[in-house]
Amino acid sequence: MADETTGGRPPQLDDVQESIEDQLSVGASAAAATELAALRPPDQADVLEELDAPSREALMGELSAEALADIVEHLGAETAAELPGLIDVASMAQVLDEAPPEVAADVLRAVEWEIARGILAQMTSHRSVARVLLYADDDAGGLMTPDVIGLNENISVSRALQILRDSPLPHQKKRQLFVVDPAGTLVGRIGLSELVFAPAGARISDVMETDVISVETGTDQEECARIMSRYGLRSLPVVDRNGVLEGAVAIEEMVRVAEDEATEDMLKMVGTAGDEKLTGPIRNSIRNRFPWLLVNLGTVLFAGVLVSLFEGTIERLAIIAAFIPVVSGQAGIAGTQTVTLMVRSLALGDVSERDSRGVLVREGVLALVQGVVIASLLGLVVWVWQADFSFGLIVFAALLGNLILAAIAGVLVPLAMRALNTDPATSSAVIVTTVTDSFGILIYLSLAAIFISTLNVG
Amino acid sequence: MADETTGGRPPQLDDVQESIEDQLSVGASAAAATELAALRPPDQADVLEELDAPSREALMGELSAEALADIVEHLGAETAAELPGLIDVASMAQVLDEAPPEVAADVLRAVEWEIARGILAQMTSHRSVARVLLYADDDAGGLMTPDVIGLNENISVSRALQILRDSPLPHQKKRQLFVVDPAGTLVGRIGLSELVFAPAGARISDVMETDVISVETGTDQEECARIMSRYGLRSLPVVDRNGVLEGAVAIEEMVRVAEDEATEDMLKMVGTAGDEKLTGPIRNSIRNRFPWLLVNLGTVLFAGVLVSLFEGTIERLAIIAAFIPVVSGQAGIAGTQTVTLMVRSLALGDVSERDSRGVLVREGVLALVQGVVIASLLGLVVWVWQADFSFGLIVFAALLGNLILAAIAGVLVPLAMRALNTDPATSSAVIVTTVTDSFGILIYLSLAAIFISTLNVG
């Protein structure tokens, strides 16, 4: 299901789509299937996804188990989960037997457990699929393919080549080979190229790379991505707690993980979830976004209550109200910049706890420098506009103070979230803007209330 | 430089770092180098980056060109650019000759052109490096490695294996082979595994895959990432405008591109740039963020001016001011949710122009449903708090109208930006919040001004 989030439908596909839909509408499903077969599997999946359910069912009836297996890998989770409803259990088992076990596991995860068990029972590759199903789909165990070749360290290179030649695995799973001891424990790795061009008489243990990095089955996908990226691995072996080779995570999964994690961080910061689609059902969107809107209603109402406390001051001088959105809004923007950089830097490992003091000082200095300029500018505007120097000074002081607070909150809130074992993306942005809103109103209206007698506007 | 943005420093590295720093502080640079050599290259690069410049220079003096070449690949762009200042031109040329050409090109891009030219002149691999340097570093031509093997379609499989055996290229560059005609035009691809296990007498043209997807040198990195991800390619061949094979983009680059593009989108939305580092120089941050703060000062001041137009209304009833931040802030949050989803969906290709009408209707309905609930809740709070039903009704109507506008703006602004060939991430968020701020103030204070005589609060 690697393609679900990486779309990029080629424009010329629209013509084929139309032609296939036309043929299906007149019942020519065999002709439609022929046209579909001329496409590459990811494009076939795309065309199927766009069809309505009856057309999709008619077209699928024309496809062989092998052809469906090629397609199923590229279907979105939602469409793949509909498959068992469109074709019978025995055909479904046949399709999934043809697909790689990690893809079959993804499909089975998406359907109800009763149905999944029925399909699994009729599959011949049920053992390797069940092995992947044991794990959460965002753990190394759930991401890995169990189809890896573990060569015994004691065999010869020519014996190893014979094993590879006889292996039923597809070619792309023969590119990276692992080496195990007689107990199955991972002890090394070797690329096909190194093996092919090794001296003929050599043993595997002579030519393997012994510095092999591996993860345990329970390792989180983000951690897997970090290790693969850092050490330039195309394939990360996965072992059980005894070090026995269980499978390997392929680099293709990591491109998806990198996109997923980034999307997730980005959407979490505004209070919705990474799995929300603008083309999905509305109830999912409500479930994702509504709680956040409620939380924010609380925080903006709190700001409203703070303003109401200064009702007397505003009554005496209504123009004061005009600069509430200015002081709060400007610091909110600055705080959001800092908090976004912090969240992303923490996620990518660019900034760690031990850098935090330096980053705090840096952002504080930056806020002071930028703040003096921005706040002076605003103060000047207020002075000239309202012809009142004291008023300008109050707005200057309130904005400068709030900008420095925004920087401090922008650095500390994500660090605090992480220290509390909460994802820094989830709540940092709303906490920081609540802080800048509230503090902005408090400091500005307090200063205004204290110095109102010195003001000559109004 | 793949690791620059993907950090993930293992915690145990801190001990080694300390020990190496201790040894360098007493002048034992040879001992420090021995300790460094025990680490993996990405970790070596990490340790070097943390050192101060004099220590780094002392330690590098102890390393061979080969060892430095392994490290240089993993250094951040800034540190790599300092290298030519630390060691002489001849040594630098030697180091870059040992590194892959695409890495050497990255380093040379980071230094001044005069220095780069001096180094290039002394390199033996200057031709392949210059070929990469011709292109921007975010184009296929700049991302690719020129070190690819293009086998003539007319040779035999056994001849091809002999060529591979004799090739000086590292093993990992022999995993994916391309096939060219006598003019050098790309005509197919073949994996090492397919080649090794092909019938001995076969010709390359018999066993190659002829359905080969390629891009031209000028293709943008985001487009390359989309194609590789969609079609599951680990290596994307790059051709010139005549179809002649120039090199290939490796999947490792794509993990970095996926992270880069996501980070860029995320940071652009809050008005800073993807290349900003929280540990980098402050002047970069000012250059990135200050213009945005200025733009925003303009938009928040505009909101302030709008409020000031209603000075008379607020003077008559100061409590009205308390709900300005509530109506604006709440719609700002909802608009940000929609705009973030739109920007990310457009970037990942999940939503295209042809879906836009559906998405607009969907978000409009969602805003209506959520808006009625949220605005009723707020209206109720105002009614009870201020003991005034009309006041509650005014706030209800203002918030509901503003939430619906937020959804419409959240969908249309990114689409308009894209239609204008501007990156939807850059300015969408600020435009949408400016719209919700201004409209929120306008509709709320207008309603309040019109119906103020019906209000019995205050």
Side-chain angles (χ1 to χ4, degrees):
Chain A
M1 275 167 246
D3 277 70
E4 191 190 350
T5 57
T6 44
R9 179 182 172 103
Q12 63 272 27
L13 213 55
D14 291 346
D15 298 337
V16 185
Q17 181 89 41
E18 210 169 297
S19 157
I20 286 178
E21 281 171 10
D22 287 349
Q23 273 165 331
L24 287 171
S25 69
V26 298
S29 48
T34 308
E35 201 164 341
L36 188 77
L39 300 174
R40 298 179 176 121
D43 296 332
Q44 295 179 354
D46 216 339
V47 169
L48 275 178
E49 297 222 306
E50 293 282 316
L51 294 177
D52 53 33
S55 304
R56 200 183 296 156
E57 192 172 358
L59 188 53
M60 280 185 177
E62 301 288 332
L63 302 176
S64 68
E66 217 176 349
L68 272 174
D70 284 342
I71 297 173
V72 81
E73 200 169 334
H74 304 282
L75 286 175
E78 278 169 36
T79 316
E82 283 171 12
L83 273 184
L86 297 178
I87 54 181
D88 61 274
V89 169
S91 314
M92 195 63 210
Q94 243 183 310
V95 169
L96 294 187
D97 261 333
E98 295 281 342
E102 63 277 17
V103 171
D106 271 351
V107 174
L108 293 178
R109 269 200 202 94
V111 302
E112 278 171 48
W113 176 230
E114 279 305 304
I115 300 169
R117 205 163 52 182
I119 297 168
L120 204 54
Q122 297 204 28
M123 288 176 65
T124 53
S125 63
H126 59 87
R127 279 192 53 194
S128 54
V129 174
R131 209 197 286 184
V132 180
L133 270 177
L134 276 176
Y135 303 99
D137 65 352
D138 54 358
D139 281 353
L143 283 177
M144 70 180 189
T145 172
D147 281 348
V148 291
I149 295 176
L151 299 167
N152 187 307
E153 59 179 333
N154 297 316
I155 64 174
S156 66
V157 164
S158 50
R159 174 80 192 104
L161 284 171
Q162 192 57 49
I163 290 173
L164 289 181
R165 191 185 302 270
D166 298 341
S167 160
L169 290 184
H171 282 293
Q172 71 266 29
K173 291 194 169 171
K174 298 178 183 173
R175 293 181 286 208
Q176 180 57 59
L177 314 160
F178 298 101
V179 185
V180 293
D181 68 11
T185 311
L186 179 70
V187 294
R189 62 189 298 153
I190 184 169
L192 177 62
S193 176
E194 284 89 334
L195 192 70
V196 169
F197 300 116
R203 307 200 82 75
I204 292 296
S205 53
D206 302 331
V207 289
M208 71 184 185
E209 168 69 64
T210 54
D211 179 27
V212 52
I213 300 171
S214 62
V215 293
E216 283 196 19
T217 44
T219 309
D220 177 69
Q221 61 175 7
E222 215 170 351
E223 176 68 9
C224 294
R226 217 170 279 173
I227 292 172
M228 294 184 82
S229 166
R230 184 174 181 87
Y231 297 107
L233 308 176
R234 285 197 165 180
S235 162
L236 176 66
V238 181
V239 297
D240 69 12
R241 69 180 64 181
N242 300 315
V244 172
L245 181 65
E246 288 278 316
V249 179
I251 191 169
E252 282 83 357
E253 293 288 336
M254 290 305 110
V255 178
R256 193 185 51 72
V257 168
E259 283 177 345
D260 279 5
E261 298 283 345
T263 304
E264 218 178 280
D265 276 0
M266 201 161 152
L267 296 183
K268 269 185 187 165
M269 285 194 69
V270 297
T272 173
D275 58 352
E276 184 177 344
K277 296 256 170 288
L278 277 175
T279 46
I282 281 195
R283 64 175 184 283
N284 287 359
S285 294
I286 293 182
R287 203 179 50 220
N288 277 329
R289 301 193 218 169
F290 193 74
W292 198 249
L293 290 177
L294 268 186
V295 169
N296 273 285
L297 186 62
T299 67
V300 291
L301 262 175
F302 180 64
V305 171
L306 288 181
V307 175
S308 76
L309 295 179
F310 293 89
E311 200 179 339
T313 307
I314 295 169
E315 217 152 57
R316 283 180 60 191
L317 199 52
I319 190 68
I320 285 176
F323 297 97
I324 297 173
V326 182
V327 171
S328 295
Q330 189 68 5
I333 297 283
T336 308
Q337 290 185 334
T338 303
V339 82
T340 306
L341 271 165
M342 271 300 286
V343 165
R344 198 66 191 134
S345 299
L346 285 171
L348 293 176
D350 282 347
V351 162
S352 61
E353 276 79 1
R354 61 185 202 123
D355 303 320
S356 54
R357 188 181 304 230
V359 171
L360 186 62
V361 171
R362 182 185 182 283
E363 288 293 305
V365 170
L366 182 62
L368 188 68
V369 173
Q370 296 195 124
V372 166
V373 181
I374 289 278
S376 300
L377 211 63
L378 178 63
L380 205 68
V381 169
V382 173
W383 179 16
V384 172
W385 179 13
Q386 300 296 327
D388 187 330
F389 180 74
S390 304
F391 199 4
L393 209 60
I394 287 171
V395 175
F396 166 83
L399 180 55
L400 182 60
N402 206 15
L403 283 172
I404 292 172
L405 182 81
I408 295 172
V411 174
L412 293 187
V413 171
L415 285 174
M417 288 296 124
R418 172 164 281 204
L420 294 169
N421 274 323
T422 311
D423 183 343
T426 307
S427 33
S428 295
V430 72
I431 295 177
V432 169
T433 47
T434 304
V435 168
T436 53
D437 274 3
S438 314
F439 184 78
I441 289 168
L442 265 186
I443 188 173
Y444 168 59
L445 292 182
S446 300
L447 287 174
I450 295 167
F451 296 105
I452 193 159
S453 53
T454 72
L455 302 182
N456 52 31
V457 291
Chain B
M1 273 166 248
D3 278 70
E4 193 190 348
T5 56
T6 44
R9 180 184 172 101
Q12 62 274 24
L13 213 54
D14 291 345
D15 297 337
V16 185
Q17 181 89 40
E18 210 170 296
S19 157
I20 287 178
E21 281 171 9
D22 287 350
Q23 273 165 331
L24 287 170
S25 69
V26 297
S29 48
T34 309
E35 203 166 340
L36 188 77
L39 300 173
R40 296 173 176 127
D43 296 332
Q44 295 178 353
D46 215 338
V47 168
L48 275 177
E49 296 221 306
E50 293 282 317
L51 294 178
D52 52 34
S55 304
R56 202 184 292 156
E57 192 173 357
L59 188 52
M60 281 184 174
E62 301 287 334
L63 302 175
S64 67
E66 217 177 348
L68 273 174
D70 284 343
I71 297 173
V72 81
E73 198 169 337
H74 304 282
L75 286 176
E78 279 169 37
T79 315
E82 284 172 12
L83 275 184
L86 296 178
I87 54 180
D88 60 274
V89 170
S91 314
M92 195 65 212
Q94 242 184 310
V95 169
L96 295 187
D97 262 334
E98 295 282 342
E102 63 277 18
V103 171
D106 270 351
V107 174
L108 292 178
R109 267 197 204 97
V111 302
E112 279 169 45
W113 176 229
E114 281 304 305
I115 299 170
R117 205 163 51 181
I119 296 169
L120 205 54
Q122 298 206 27
M123 288 176 65
T124 52
S125 62
H126 59 89
R127 280 192 53 193
S128 53
V129 175
R131 207 196 285 184
V132 181
L133 269 177
L134 276 176
Y135 304 100
D137 67 351
D138 54 358
D139 281 354
L143 282 178
M144 72 179 188
T145 173
D147 281 349
V148 291
I149 295 175
L151 298 167
N152 186 306
E153 59 179 333
N154 298 315
I155 64 173
S156 67
V157 164
S158 50
R159 174 77 192 109
L161 284 172
Q162 192 58 47
I163 290 173
L164 289 181
R165 192 186 301 271
D166 297 342
S167 160
L169 290 184
H171 283 294
Q172 71 266 27
K173 292 193 168 169
K174 297 179 183 173
R175 292 181 287 208
Q176 179 58 60
L177 313 161
F178 299 102
V179 185
V180 293
D181 69 11
T185 310
L186 179 70
V187 294
R189 61 188 297 153
I190 183 168
L192 178 63
S193 177
E194 284 90 335
L195 191 70
V196 169
F197 301 116
R203 305 200 82 73
I204 293 295
S205 53
D206 302 331
V207 289
M208 72 184 186
E209 168 69 65
T210 53
D211 178 27
V212 53
I213 300 171
S214 62
V215 293
E216 282 194 22
T217 44
T219 309
D220 176 69
Q221 61 174 7
E222 213 167 354
E223 176 67 10
C224 295
R226 218 170 277 172
I227 292 172
M228 293 184 81
S229 166
R230 185 175 180 88
Y231 298 107
L233 307 176
R234 286 198 165 178
S235 166
L236 176 66
V238 181
V239 297
D240 69 12
R241 71 181 61 180
N242 301 314
V244 172
L245 181 65
E246 287 280 315
V249 179
I251 190 169
E252 282 83 357
E253 292 289 336
M254 290 305 110
V255 178
R256 195 184 51 71
V257 168
E259 283 177 347
D260 278 4
E261 298 284 345
T263 303
E264 216 178 282
D265 276 0
M266 201 161 154
L267 296 183
K268 270 185 189 165
M269 285 193 69
V270 297
T272 174
D275 59 352
E276 185 177 343
K277 295 261 171 288
L278 278 176
T279 46
I282 280 193
R283 61 174 187 283
N284 287 359
S285 296
I286 293 181
R287 204 180 47 224
N288 277 330
R289 299 193 217 169
F290 193 74
W292 197 250
L293 289 178
L294 268 185
V295 169
N296 273 287
L297 187 63
T299 67
V300 291
L301 262 174
F302 180 65
V305 171
L306 288 180
V307 174
S308 76
L309 296 178
F310 293 90
E311 198 180 338
T313 308
I314 295 170
E315 216 152 55
R316 282 178 60 191
L317 201 52
I319 190 68
I320 286 176
F323 297 97
I324 298 173
V326 182
V327 171
S328 296
Q330 187 69 5
I333 297 284
T336 308
Q337 290 184 335
T338 303
V339 83
T340 306
L341 270 165
M342 273 300 286
V343 166
R344 198 65 192 137
S345 300
L346 286 170
L348 293 176
D350 282 346
V351 161
S352 61
E353 276 79 2
R354 62 186 201 125
D355 305 320
S356 54
R357 188 181 304 231
V359 171
L360 186 62
V361 171
R362 181 186 183 284
E363 288 293 305
V365 171
L366 182 61
L368 188 69
V369 173
Q370 297 196 123
V372 165
V373 180
I374 288 278
S376 300
L377 212 60
L378 179 64
L380 205 70
V381 169
V382 173
W383 178 16
V384 172
W385 180 14
Q386 300 296 329
D388 186 329
F389 179 75
S390 306
F391 198 5
L393 208 59
I394 289 172
V395 175
F396 165 83
L399 180 55
L400 181 59
N402 206 14
L403 282 172
I404 292 170
L405 181 81
I408 295 171
V411 174
L412 293 187
V413 171
L415 285 173
M417 290 294 124
R418 171 164 281 206
L420 295 169
N421 275 325
T422 311
D423 182 343
T426 307
S427 34
S428 295
V430 71
I431 295 178
V432 169
T433 47
T434 303
V435 168
T436 53
D437 273 3
S438 314
F439 184 79
I441 289 168
L442 265 186
I443 187 173
Y444 168 58
L445 292 182
S446 301
L447 287 174
I450 296 167
F451 296 105
I452 193 160
S453 53
T454 71
L455 302 183
N456 52 31
V457 291

